[in-house]
PDB file of all heavy atoms in Angstrom:
ATOM      1  N   GLY A   1     -12.433  46.078 -76.250  1.00 58.00           N
ATOM      2  CA  GLY A   1     -12.321  45.012 -75.266  1.00 58.00           C
ATOM      3  C   GLY A   1     -13.676  44.360 -75.052  1.00 58.00           C
ATOM      4  O   GLY A   1     -14.714  44.992 -75.239  1.00 58.00           O
ATOM      5  N   PHE A   2     -13.662  43.097 -74.671  1.00 53.00           N
ATOM      6  CA  PHE A   2     -14.895  42.358 -74.421  1.00 53.00           C
ATOM      7  C   PHE A   2     -15.077  42.099 -72.934  1.00 53.00           C
ATOM      8  O   PHE A   2     -14.136  41.785 -72.240  1.00 53.00           O
ATOM      9  CB  PHE A   2     -14.864  40.995 -75.130  1.00 53.00           C
ATOM     10  CG  PHE A   2     -15.047  41.086 -76.597  1.00 53.00           C
ATOM     11  CD1 PHE A   2     -13.949  41.081 -77.441  1.00 53.00           C
ATOM     12  CD2 PHE A   2     -16.309  41.173 -77.138  1.00 53.00           C
ATOM     13  CE1 PHE A   2     -14.120  41.155 -78.808  1.00 53.00           C
ATOM     14  CE2 PHE A   2     -16.491  41.242 -78.508  1.00 53.00           C
ATOM     15  CZ  PHE A   2     -15.385  41.233 -79.346  1.00 53.00           C
ATOM     16  N   LYS A   3     -16.284  42.255 -72.455  1.00 56.00           N
ATOM     17  CA  LYS A   3     -16.651  41.865 -71.102  1.00 56.00           C
ATOM     18  C   LYS A   3     -18.080  41.349 -71.185  1.00 56.00           C
ATOM     19  O   LYS A   3     -18.982  42.084 -71.590  1.00 56.00           O
ATOM     20  CB  LYS A   3     -16.559  43.056 -70.152  1.00 56.00           C
ATOM     21  CG  LYS A   3     -16.849  42.695 -68.724  1.00 56.00           C
ATOM     22  CD  LYS A   3     -15.662  42.985 -67.869  1.00 56.00           C
ATOM     23  CE  LYS A   3     -15.910  42.584 -66.449  1.00 56.00           C
ATOM     24  NZ  LYS A   3     -14.832  42.946 -65.597  1.00 56.00           N
ATOM     25  N   ARG A   4     -18.245  40.100 -70.829  1.00 56.00           N
ATOM     26  CA  ARG A   4     -19.574  39.462 -70.898  1.00 56.00           C
ATOM     27  C   ARG A   4     -20.215  39.647 -72.274  1.00 56.00           C
ATOM     28  O   ARG A   4     -21.362  40.061 -72.392  1.00 56.00           O
ATOM     29  CB  ARG A   4     -20.481  40.006 -69.809  1.00 56.00           C
ATOM     30  CG  ARG A   4     -19.981  39.678 -68.428  1.00 56.00           C
ATOM     31  CD  ARG A   4     -21.014  40.072 -67.382  1.00 56.00           C
ATOM     32  NE  ARG A   4     -20.425  39.954 -66.091  1.00 56.00           N
ATOM     33  CZ  ARG A   4     -20.162  40.977 -65.288  1.00 56.00           C
ATOM     34  NH1 ARG A   4     -20.462  42.199 -65.650  1.00 56.00           N
ATOM     35  NH2 ARG A   4     -19.616  40.787 -64.115  1.00 56.00           N
ATOM     36  N   ARG A   5     -19.425  39.383 -73.307  1.00 59.00           N
ATOM     37  CA  ARG A   5     -19.880  39.415 -74.700  1.00 59.00           C
ATOM     38  C   ARG A   5     -20.236  40.811 -75.202  1.00 59.00           C
ATOM     39  O   ARG A   5     -20.794  40.960 -76.286  1.00 59.00           O
ATOM     40  CB  ARG A   5     -21.038  38.457 -74.934  1.00 59.00           C
ATOM     41  CG  ARG A   5     -20.673  37.024 -74.677  1.00 59.00           C
ATOM     42  CD  ARG A   5     -21.820  36.127 -75.085  1.00 59.00           C
ATOM     43  NE  ARG A   5     -21.478  34.756 -74.835  1.00 59.00           N
ATOM     44  CZ  ARG A   5     -21.146  33.902 -75.786  1.00 59.00           C
ATOM     45  NH1 ARG A   5     -21.108  34.288 -77.029  1.00 59.00           N
ATOM     46  NH2 ARG A   5     -20.855  32.660 -75.479  1.00 59.00           N
ATOM     47  N   LYS A   6     -19.970  41.854 -74.449  1.00 63.00           N
ATOM     48  CA  LYS A   6     -20.212  43.216 -74.911  1.00 63.00           C
ATOM     49  C   LYS A   6     -18.905  43.792 -75.421  1.00 63.00           C
ATOM     50  O   LYS A   6     -17.861  43.627 -74.794  1.00 63.00           O
ATOM     51  CB  LYS A   6     -20.735  44.102 -73.781  1.00 63.00           C
ATOM     52  CG  LYS A   6     -22.128  43.751 -73.347  1.00 63.00           C
ATOM     53  CD  LYS A   6     -22.598  44.720 -72.299  1.00 63.00           C
ATOM     54  CE  LYS A   6     -23.993  44.361 -71.829  1.00 63.00           C
ATOM     55  NZ  LYS A   6     -24.448  45.276 -70.798  1.00 63.00           N
ATOM     56  N   LEU A   7     -18.975  44.477 -76.544  1.00 68.00           N
ATOM     57  CA  LEU A   7     -17.805  45.111 -77.136  1.00 68.00           C
ATOM     58  C   LEU A   7     -17.819  46.581 -76.771  1.00 68.00           C
ATOM     59  O   LEU A   7     -18.838  47.259 -76.912  1.00 68.00           O
ATOM     60  CB  LEU A   7     -17.833  44.938 -78.660  1.00 68.00           C
ATOM     61  CG  LEU A   7     -16.701  45.580 -79.432  1.00 68.00           C
ATOM     62  CD1 LEU A   7     -15.374  44.915 -79.072  1.00 68.00           C
ATOM     63  CD2 LEU A   7     -16.954  45.445 -80.927  1.00 68.00           C
ATOM     64  N   LYS A   8     -16.699  47.084 -76.277  1.00 75.00           N
ATOM     65  CA  LYS A   8     -16.606  48.489 -75.893  1.00 75.00           C
ATOM     66  C   LYS A   8     -15.344  49.078 -76.509  1.00 75.00           C
ATOM     67  O   LYS A   8     -14.321  48.415 -76.579  1.00 75.00           O
ATOM     68  CB  LYS A   8     -16.561  48.606 -74.373  1.00 75.00           C
ATOM     69  CG  LYS A   8     -16.514  50.033 -73.924  1.00 75.00           C
ATOM     70  CD  LYS A   8     -17.164  50.211 -72.586  1.00 75.00           C
ATOM     71  CE  LYS A   8     -16.889  51.626 -72.144  1.00 75.00           C
ATOM     72  NZ  LYS A   8     -17.966  52.420 -71.878  1.00 75.00           N
ATOM     73  N   ILE A   9     -15.426  50.331 -76.948  1.00 81.00           N
ATOM     74  CA  ILE A   9     -14.289  51.015 -77.555  1.00 81.00           C
ATOM     75  C   ILE A   9     -13.730  52.023 -76.555  1.00 81.00           C
ATOM     76  O   ILE A   9     -14.481  52.783 -75.944  1.00 81.00           O
ATOM     77  CB  ILE A   9     -14.708  51.737 -78.851  1.00 81.00           C
ATOM     78  CG1 ILE A   9     -15.208  50.699 -79.872  1.00 81.00           C
ATOM     79  CG2 ILE A   9     -13.547  52.530 -79.424  1.00 81.00           C
ATOM     80  CD1 ILE A   9     -15.802  51.302 -81.111  1.00 81.00           C
ATOM     81  N   TYR A  10     -12.384  52.007 -76.396  1.00 86.00           N
ATOM     82  CA  TYR A  10     -11.710  52.913 -75.471  1.00 86.00           C
ATOM     83  C   TYR A  10     -10.691  53.762 -76.206  1.00 86.00           C
ATOM     84  O   TYR A  10      -9.956  53.265 -77.051  1.00 86.00           O
ATOM     85  CB  TYR A  10     -10.984  52.126 -74.367  1.00 86.00           C
ATOM     86  CG  TYR A  10     -11.932  51.528 -73.372  1.00 86.00           C
ATOM     87  CD1 TYR A  10     -12.379  50.232 -73.510  1.00 86.00           C
ATOM     88  CD2 TYR A  10     -12.393  52.279 -72.302  1.00 86.00           C
ATOM     89  CE1 TYR A  10     -13.269  49.683 -72.605  1.00 86.00           C
ATOM     90  CE2 TYR A  10     -13.283  51.738 -71.401  1.00 86.00           C
ATOM     91  CZ  TYR A  10     -13.711  50.451 -71.556  1.00 86.00           C
ATOM     92  OH  TYR A  10     -14.604  49.920 -70.662  1.00 86.00           O
ATOM     93  N   SER A  11     -10.636  55.043 -75.843  1.00 90.00           N
ATOM     94  CA  SER A  11      -9.577  55.906 -76.375  1.00 90.00           C
ATOM     95  C   SER A  11      -8.311  55.651 -75.558  1.00 90.00           C
ATOM     96  O   SER A  11      -8.373  55.128 -74.442  1.00 90.00           O
ATOM     97  CB  SER A  11      -9.981  57.374 -76.275  1.00 90.00           C
ATOM     98  OG  SER A  11     -10.031  57.775 -74.928  1.00 90.00           O
ATOM     99  N   SER A  12      -7.160  56.020 -76.097  1.00 91.00           N
ATOM    100  CA  SER A  12      -5.906  55.742 -75.394  1.00 91.00           C
ATOM    101  C   SER A  12      -5.853  56.443 -74.040  1.00 91.00           C
ATOM    102  O   SER A  12      -5.240  55.927 -73.107  1.00 91.00           O
ATOM    103  CB  SER A  12      -4.707  56.136 -76.253  1.00 91.00           C
ATOM    104  OG  SER A  12      -4.710  57.512 -76.524  1.00 91.00           O
ATOM    105  N   GLU A  13      -6.516  57.587 -73.892  1.00 93.00           N
ATOM    106  CA  GLU A  13      -6.508  58.308 -72.620  1.00 93.00           C
ATOM    107  C   GLU A  13      -7.247  57.570 -71.516  1.00 93.00           C
ATOM    108  O   GLU A  13      -7.033  57.829 -70.338  1.00 93.00           O
ATOM    109  CB  GLU A  13      -7.111  59.715 -72.784  1.00 93.00           C
ATOM    110  CG  GLU A  13      -6.306  60.648 -73.652  1.00 93.00           C
ATOM    111  CD  GLU A  13      -6.530  60.421 -75.139  1.00 93.00           C
ATOM    112  OE1 GLU A  13      -7.582  59.862 -75.525  1.00 93.00           O
ATOM    113  OE2 GLU A  13      -5.636  60.787 -75.922  1.00 93.00           O
ATOM    114  N   GLU A  14      -8.114  56.645 -71.877  1.00 94.00           N
ATOM    115  CA  GLU A  14      -8.874  55.874 -70.895  1.00 94.00           C
ATOM    116  C   GLU A  14      -8.151  54.599 -70.463  1.00 94.00           C
ATOM    117  O   GLU A  14      -8.596  53.910 -69.544  1.00 94.00           O
ATOM    118  CB  GLU A  14     -10.234  55.478 -71.474  1.00 94.00           C
ATOM    119  CG  GLU A  14     -11.138  56.645 -71.794  1.00 94.00           C
ATOM    120  CD  GLU A  14     -12.403  56.181 -72.486  1.00 94.00           C
ATOM    121  OE1 GLU A  14     -12.356  55.907 -73.696  1.00 94.00           O
ATOM    122  OE2 GLU A  14     -13.436  56.080 -71.787  1.00 94.00           O
ATOM    123  N   ILE A  15      -7.044  54.287 -71.121  1.00 96.00           N
ATOM    124  CA  ILE A  15      -6.331  53.038 -70.867  1.00 96.00           C
ATOM    125  C   ILE A  15      -5.180  53.263 -69.891  1.00 96.00           C
ATOM    126  O   ILE A  15      -4.355  54.148 -70.089  1.00 96.00           O
ATOM    127  CB  ILE A  15      -5.797  52.441 -72.184  1.00 96.00           C
ATOM    128  CG1 ILE A  15      -6.963  52.139 -73.130  1.00 96.00           C
ATOM    129  CG2 ILE A  15      -4.972  51.184 -71.916  1.00 96.00           C
ATOM    130  CD1 ILE A  15      -6.529  51.775 -74.538  1.00 96.00           C
ATOM    131  N   VAL A  16      -5.135  52.488 -68.830  1.00 97.00           N
ATOM    132  CA  VAL A  16      -4.034  52.524 -67.867  1.00 97.00           C
ATOM    133  C   VAL A  16      -2.888  51.667 -68.388  1.00 97.00           C
ATOM    134  O   VAL A  16      -1.744  52.088 -68.429  1.00 97.00           O
ATOM    135  CB  VAL A  16      -4.494  52.019 -66.479  1.00 97.00           C
ATOM    136  CG1 VAL A  16      -3.312  51.833 -65.551  1.00 97.00           C
ATOM    137  CG2 VAL A  16      -5.512  52.962 -65.889  1.00 97.00           C
ATOM    138  N   CYS A  17      -3.219  50.446 -68.782  1.00 98.00           N
ATOM    139  CA  CYS A  17      -2.193  49.529 -69.278  1.00 98.00           C
ATOM    140  C   CYS A  17      -2.833  48.350 -69.972  1.00 98.00           C
ATOM    141  O   CYS A  17      -4.058  48.175 -69.950  1.00 98.00           O
ATOM    142  CB  CYS A  17      -1.302  49.038 -68.139  1.00 98.00           C
ATOM    143  SG  CYS A  17      -2.123  47.960 -66.944  1.00 98.00           S
ATOM    144  N   PHE A  18      -1.976  47.564 -70.584  1.00 97.00           N
ATOM    145  CA  PHE A  18      -2.333  46.245 -71.074  1.00 97.00           C
ATOM    146  C   PHE A  18      -1.516  45.283 -70.229  1.00 97.00           C
ATOM    147  O   PHE A  18      -0.321  45.497 -70.021  1.00 97.00           O
ATOM    148  CB  PHE A  18      -1.961  46.082 -72.550  1.00 97.00           C
ATOM    149  CG  PHE A  18      -2.716  47.014 -73.461  1.00 97.00           C
ATOM    150  CD1 PHE A  18      -2.176  48.234 -73.810  1.00 97.00           C
ATOM    151  CD2 PHE A  18      -3.965  46.669 -73.950  1.00 97.00           C
ATOM    152  CE1 PHE A  18      -2.857  49.099 -74.650  1.00 97.00           C
ATOM    153  CE2 PHE A  18      -4.658  47.520 -74.788  1.00 97.00           C
ATOM    154  CZ  PHE A  18      -4.106  48.749 -75.139  1.00 97.00           C
ATOM    155  N   GLU A  19      -2.155  44.236 -69.735  1.00 97.00           N
ATOM    156  CA  GLU A  19      -1.414  43.271 -68.937  1.00 97.00           C
ATOM    157  C   GLU A  19      -1.733  41.856 -69.395  1.00 97.00           C
ATOM    158  O   GLU A  19      -2.836  41.566 -69.847  1.00 97.00           O
ATOM    159  CB  GLU A  19      -1.665  43.436 -67.441  1.00 97.00           C
ATOM    160  CG  GLU A  19      -3.063  43.208 -66.973  1.00 97.00           C
ATOM    161  CD  GLU A  19      -3.209  43.435 -65.475  1.00 97.00           C
ATOM    162  OE1 GLU A  19      -2.265  43.840 -64.793  1.00 97.00           O
ATOM    163  OE2 GLU A  19      -4.318  43.184 -64.981  1.00 97.00           O
ATOM    164  N   SER A  20      -0.732  41.012 -69.290  1.00 97.00           N
ATOM    165  CA  SER A  20      -0.861  39.641 -69.740  1.00 97.00           C
ATOM    166  C   SER A  20      -0.568  38.697 -68.584  1.00 97.00           C
ATOM    167  O   SER A  20       0.414  38.863 -67.866  1.00 97.00           O
ATOM    168  CB  SER A  20       0.124  39.396 -70.880  1.00 97.00           C
ATOM    169  OG  SER A  20      -0.001  38.099 -71.363  1.00 97.00           O
ATOM    170  N   SER A  21      -1.444  37.725 -68.404  1.00 92.00           N
ATOM    171  CA  SER A  21      -1.204  36.667 -67.418  1.00 92.00           C
ATOM    172  C   SER A  21      -2.017  35.449 -67.814  1.00 92.00           C
ATOM    173  O   SER A  21      -3.112  35.573 -68.363  1.00 92.00           O
ATOM    174  CB  SER A  21      -1.576  37.128 -66.006  1.00 92.00           C
ATOM    175  OG  SER A  21      -2.948  37.380 -65.911  1.00 92.00           O
ATOM    176  N   ASP A  22      -1.462  34.283 -67.555  1.00 90.00           N
ATOM    177  CA  ASP A  22      -2.137  33.022 -67.870  1.00 90.00           C
ATOM    178  C   ASP A  22      -2.633  32.962 -69.313  1.00 90.00           C
ATOM    179  O   ASP A  22      -3.772  32.572 -69.573  1.00 90.00           O
ATOM    180  CB  ASP A  22      -3.294  32.766 -66.905  1.00 90.00           C
ATOM    181  CG  ASP A  22      -2.834  32.667 -65.472  1.00 90.00           C
ATOM    182  OD1 ASP A  22      -1.717  32.152 -65.249  1.00 90.00           O
ATOM    183  OD2 ASP A  22      -3.575  33.108 -64.578  1.00 90.00           O
ATOM    184  N   LYS A  23      -1.807  33.414 -70.240  1.00 88.00           N
ATOM    185  CA  LYS A  23      -2.093  33.381 -71.683  1.00 88.00           C
ATOM    186  C   LYS A  23      -3.281  34.241 -72.094  1.00 88.00           C
ATOM    187  O   LYS A  23      -3.842  34.063 -73.167  1.00 88.00           O
ATOM    188  CB  LYS A  23      -2.265  31.953 -72.175  1.00 88.00           C
ATOM    189  CG  LYS A  23      -1.014  31.126 -72.009  1.00 88.00           C
ATOM    190  CD  LYS A  23      -1.164  29.773 -72.626  1.00 88.00           C
ATOM    191  CE  LYS A  23       0.128  28.997 -72.425  1.00 88.00           C
ATOM    192  NZ  LYS A  23       0.112  27.710 -73.065  1.00 88.00           N
ATOM    193  N   ALA A  24      -3.687  35.177 -71.255  1.00 94.00           N
ATOM    194  CA  ALA A  24      -4.757  36.113 -71.600  1.00 94.00           C
ATOM    195  C   ALA A  24      -4.197  37.526 -71.498  1.00 94.00           C
ATOM    196  O   ALA A  24      -3.395  37.828 -70.621  1.00 94.00           O
ATOM    197  CB  ALA A  24      -5.935  35.948 -70.664  1.00 94.00           C
ATOM    198  N   THR A  25      -4.635  38.388 -72.401  1.00 96.00           N
ATOM    199  CA  THR A  25      -4.223  39.786 -72.373  1.00 96.00           C
ATOM    200  C   THR A  25      -5.442  40.633 -72.063  1.00 96.00           C
ATOM    201  O   THR A  25      -6.509  40.438 -72.658  1.00 96.00           O
ATOM    202  CB  THR A  25      -3.616  40.210 -73.730  1.00 96.00           C
ATOM    203  OG1 THR A  25      -2.531  39.338 -74.036  1.00 96.00           O
ATOM    204  CG2 THR A  25      -3.118  41.644 -73.686  1.00 96.00           C
ATOM    205  N   CYS A  26      -5.278  41.562 -71.128  1.00 94.00           N
ATOM    206  CA  CYS A  26      -6.373  42.438 -70.725  1.00 94.00           C
ATOM    207  C   CYS A  26      -6.009  43.898 -70.941  1.00 94.00           C
ATOM    208  O   CYS A  26      -4.868  44.301 -70.754  1.00 94.00           O
ATOM    209  CB  CYS A  26      -6.707  42.244 -69.252  1.00 94.00           C
ATOM    210  SG  CYS A  26      -7.438  40.668 -68.873  1.00 94.00           S
TER     211      CYS A  26
END
């Protein structure tokens, strides 16, 4: 995932969900 141009890698255990709104997926 990107936040302020930084790339970070997450394992599935760290992920709560994926959510989509206003044509963006987080």
